[in-house]
Amino acid sequence: VKQFKSPLRPLSLHNVRLDPSSVFGRAERVNLEYLEMLHPDRLVWSFRKNAGLPVVGEPYSGWEHPGNELRGHFVGHYLSAAALATAAMSADNSADNSAATSTAQLKENMNKVVDILRQCQLALGDSGYLSAFPTELFDKYEAQQPVWAPYYTVHKIMAGLLDQWEWAGNSKALQMATQMGEYFRSRVERVLQSKSLAQHLASLNMEYGGMNDVLYTLFRATNLTKFLHLAALFERPCFFGPLALGQDLLSGMHGNTHLPVLVGLQQRFDLTSQAELQHTAINFFNIINKTRTFVSGGSTHVEVWLEAGKMADTVRGGLEAHWAGAHQESCTQYNMMKVATRLLSWTGAASYADFNERAVLNGIIGTQRGSIPGVMLYN
């Protein structure tokens, strides 16, 4: 481990205020109002059900529907969003009593969610496992049987807990994430011992979120090298190798599968200063930005990268009519902003800030529909 010293470092959210009359200030307020709408007992419904604990009220539908195999991942997003929102609002809300009240209520709600999740984790035994679905989904994953991305969900839950630790100071959340890391370290080790490394890597052909990224964060939080080693087992050599050589093999790849892993590679560079990792990330961004990016900053069509220079076909409707407008997905744009932010911190090059300006206005702010919380244009 030899940490890279970036020439630029972001200011802490605790020290940044947004003009409440600006488009960014209004968006912040809409986000806060939406987070206030979410009820802790409904969020954790499937976690309680999976842990054998009494449920309260009704579950949410959509991503958190009890029959959805990705149930639980929205709760991870909630924990991250709530931690970031309260940190951003904490610096100076003395002039706005309503903002102070909102922040206090959100803190109470998110702390309640963490507390309930801890109860669920303990109810599931001493293994450290925590999720809204049973471990059988991981059995299917490891056997390469049809299942919908269980590690994708675990990544979101662990990331949410680590954000609660980092931005909200919740030490319980770090303990929970650490125990989850221990569980999945044991699980991966069993696959390596009973099957093979090849079997494990073959499983990674399924979407698995940014498991490498969250495990590097867990290493940074705990300084336990076992998590550094585990994170490396969730990387994709077949993806990184060509990029390190400047080769463009991205056509047909699923953006949402590969971008979070690339973000994890960037954190690995921050921790190790291995030059080839930096080159890989820069090469990736240059390829996407020069050959597969709309003027708005988006880069995929139906979540997939097309052939270089073919983006206009999706606007003209040259592809299947049903998917003609399915471009500029906000998920991939958000992760591209993460990539660009780190490149900006590494190099100081203003071009990365220019990219983020376009991307945040068109792909992030643009998803909100005015000042109505909970109403958005999903893309």
Side-chain angles (χ1 to χ4, degrees):
V1 175
K2 180 183 179 183
Q3 293 195 4
F4 177 72
K5 295 182 179 180
S6 297
L8 296 179
R9 296 187 180 183
L11 293 172
S12 170
L13 282 177
H14 296 287
N15 300 322
V16 177
R17 305 289 342 121
L18 296 178
D19 180 351
S21 64
S22 69
V23 64
F24 301 105
R26 291 194 298 270
E28 182 181 47
R29 169 57 56 189
V30 171
N31 281 344
L32 185 61
E33 290 174 356
Y34 173 67
L35 289 169
E36 291 173 350
M37 295 167 58
L38 300 172
H39 195 281
D41 287 319
R42 297 192 69 185
L43 286 168
V44 301
W45 195 95
S46 289
F47 285 89
R48 280 174 162 157
K49 184 72 172 178
N50 185 55
L53 299 177
V55 298
V56 179
E58 297 294 326
Y60 282 113
S61 58
W63 293 118
E64 290 304 309
H65 187 280
N68 191 320
E69 286 189 333
L70 292 183
R71 60 190 182 274
H73 92 272
F74 180 86
V75 178
H77 285 311
Y78 168 83
L79 290 175
S80 292
L84 294 168
T86 54
M89 298 295 290
S90 65
D92 182 16
N93 57 25
S94 58
D96 186 346
N97 291 331
S98 63
T101 301
S102 296
T103 304
Q105 183 60 57
L106 182 56
K107 285 182 178 179
E108 180 180 336
N109 287 349
M110 70 185 191
N111 287 336
K112 181 178 179 180
V113 169
V114 172
D115 289 343
I116 296 172
L117 292 181
R118 179 56 174 167
Q119 294 169 11
C120 294
Q121 189 176 39
L122 293 174
L124 287 166
D126 59 3
S127 69
Y129 182 73
L130 173 64
S131 186
F133 49 74
T135 58
E136 283 76 10
L137 269 67
F138 286 98
D139 296 338
K140 292 182 178 180
Y141 178 89
E142 291 163 0
Q144 299 179 47
Q145 297 173 356
V147 66
W148 198 0
Y151 272 117
Y152 173 94
T153 295
V154 164
H155 161 230
K156 306 303 179 290
I157 297 169
M158 291 183 67
L161 291 171
L162 288 171
D163 282 334
Q164 285 289 318
W165 164 72
E166 184 168 2
W167 296 107
N170 192 327
S171 58
K172 182 187 299 181
L174 175 60
Q175 178 187 14
M176 295 165 64
T178 302
Q179 291 177 350
M180 290 181 71
E182 292 280 9
Y183 172 83
F184 288 105
R185 182 178 72 92
S186 298
R187 183 143 203 144
V188 171
E189 284 184 347
R190 285 199 300 271
V191 172
L192 297 180
Q193 293 169 3
S194 64
K195 298 178 182 178
S196 65
L197 175 60
Q199 175 80 4
H200 169 71
L201 292 177
S203 300
L204 301 186
N205 288 324
M206 185 185 300
E207 187 173 3
Y208 60 93
M211 280 301 296
N212 62 334
D213 187 37
V214 77
L215 289 166
Y216 286 130
T217 301
L218 186 57
F219 164 71
R220 180 166 54 82
T222 63
N223 203 34
L224 296 173
T225 55
K226 56 189 173 185
F227 296 130
L228 185 70
H229 298 151
L230 180 60
L233 289 171
F234 282 96
E235 295 193 337
R236 298 176 68 90
C238 59
F239 174 49
F240 295 150
L243 288 173
L245 300 174
Q247 296 177 0
D248 179 358
L249 300 181
L250 300 180
S251 297
M253 287 189 178
H254 184 236
N256 284 337
T257 296
H258 293 83
L259 271 166
V261 187
L262 194 284
V263 173
L265 177 101
Q266 289 184 293
Q267 184 164 193
R268 181 181 174 185
F269 171 72
D270 284 341
L271 292 170
T272 65
S273 300
Q274 294 174 272
E276 67 273 14
L277 303 179
Q278 184 182 49
H279 297 325
T280 299
I282 291 174
N283 288 343
F284 168 80
F285 184 88
N286 288 340
I287 291 171
I288 292 292
N289 198 38
K290 292 178 180 178
T291 68
R292 291 178 177 81
T293 299
F294 297 104
V295 68
S296 58
S299 64
T300 55
H301 175 75
V302 199
E303 303 187 11
V304 171
W305 289 307
L306 301 179
E307 294 180 34
K310 298 291 186 180
M311 304 301 290
D313 289 344
T314 69
V315 179
R316 290 196 299 262
L319 300 176
E320 306 94 291
H322 179 69
W323 297 111
H327 47 70
Q328 189 182 292
E329 190 193 14
S330 55
C331 300
T332 56
Q333 208 151 342
Y334 172 69
N335 277 313
M336 279 296 293
M337 287 178 60
K338 284 187 173 183
V339 174
T341 297
R342 265 205 169 91
L343 295 179
L344 173 64
S345 72
W346 292 349
T347 66
S351 59
Y352 298 121
D354 292 339
F355 173 87
N356 273 352
E357 182 179 40
R358 282 187 295 132
V360 72
L361 288 171
N362 293 294
I364 307 301
I365 298 292
T367 63
Q368 291 185 341
R369 311 319 292 160
S371 59
I372 306 174
V375 180
M376 63 175 292
L377 174 65
Y378 181 79
N379 58 48

